[in-house]
Amino acid sequence: MKFSIDHRDSGSSARAGIITTDHGVIPTPVFMPVGTVGSVKGISQTELKEAIDAKIILGNSYHLFLRPGIKILNRAGGHHKFMSWDRPILTDSGGYQVFSLSNNRKVTEEGYIFRSHIDGSKHIFTPESVVDIQRNIGSDITMALDECTPYPCDYDYAQKSMGLTHRWLERGIKHFATTQPIYDHTQSFFPIVQGSVYTDLRKQSAETISSYDQEGNAIGGLSVGEPEELMYEMCDVVTQILPQDKPRYLMGVGTPANILESIALGVDMFDCVMPTRNGRNGMLFTSNGIINIKNEKWKDDFSAIDETGTSGVGKQYSKAYLRHLINAKEMLGAQIASIHNLSFYMCLMNEAREKIANNTFADWKNRMVPKLKTRL
RNA sequence: GGGGAGAUACCAAAGUGGCCAACUGGGGCAGACUGUAACUCUGCUGGCGUACGCCUUCGUAGGUUCGAAUCCUGCUCUCCCCA
């Protein structure tokens, strides 16, 4: 993997660059659609490429480990072949599931022991085993095993948890360095900064993570319920420490406004379930603001979902029609909403890149953010 | 023509003397969702009021009772079975 920065915005810390992987190039800042269990929910690979033009998508080690299982992925020749996706894939290690499936797991020094949410079977993930799993998946970018702390989280726990994440990181890196890719492409390994909402912990974590000099670095444990300002504050602290010449990935973020604010702080990569999940649930992101398409007021609004054409489907279908589909629980409704939202995110990222290249990002961002937050 | 069952809020359907403005679904309305256990979850859904509460409701008209959606009588309507 290679990363080069083409432009730096003069009015903020935003950067525009290119990540080069064996499966293709990824212009940054980039938004990565989430395809947890082997699909970006509701969207075919063809649409993902042609309608949305996703440059890279996510997969999840925990979910793929449970289903279809590592053996199948290995026999398929890796996840790319299995799901017929020839562009880059990034896999999360399963650290987030330690957080979100918290009643079914136990964190120990060795790793985390958990029960499958599918059949209750018992498993253990260690920093080493998640490297092996991601080797078998064959993701272009693999993630370290971390503990994503909840919010609120007291200082003591945050500190201890961060220490564990750092020790896990050291083991993970060692294992990654002493193992080889299974398929014929290279893989990268990203460490993850933790430290909850404590500035000193975040600094310490960012310094520790930076010292390993990996090909990219991630910021985890944010957007877990803390106030937005606190998230930006932590993000700011961390991006000032992480190496300039490596991509920074803010995990799980976020709203369109969150993303623009974070780009301004020097973040290059994002992923979030919001465009797909919230889309399925009737929330649409448009160039004029946020629409809850289920609301009665759209029932006879026959205008396009997004007239400015941030997506093909947004221009093609009317609000009234999409409202009908979603309210009638027709699958197509969820698909249209997901495609539209992802296309909107993609469009926003493309525009952000252009603004960075023109040195007009900061002003543009400040104009866009209130608009993006508007509820229509 | 004879016999039987039933009419409850937008729909379906519980309730069969006081704990009933009325269970539960559905529908409707609104909200939530940030490294996806999520096409999911939460709230509201007679009127007025933030709330304690007050007012009007269980086909309809009367009656019994301290008190009725619940008991009695008339009326109207619906459904089922047999001829």
Side-chain angles (χ1 to χ4, degrees), chain A residues 1-2 19-21 89-91 134-135 139-144 176 181 185-191 214-216 247:
Chain A
M1 195 193 98
K2 280 193 323 203
I19 297 170
T20 306
T21 74
I89 295 174
L90 179 151
T91 42
Q134 292 177 98
R135 288 288 194 203
S139 40
D140 299 271
I141 299 173
T142 68
M143 301 302 301
F176 186 79
H185 58 270
T186 58
Q187 295 179 287
S188 306
F189 182 91
F190 284 22
Q214 293 298 296
E215 292 178 288

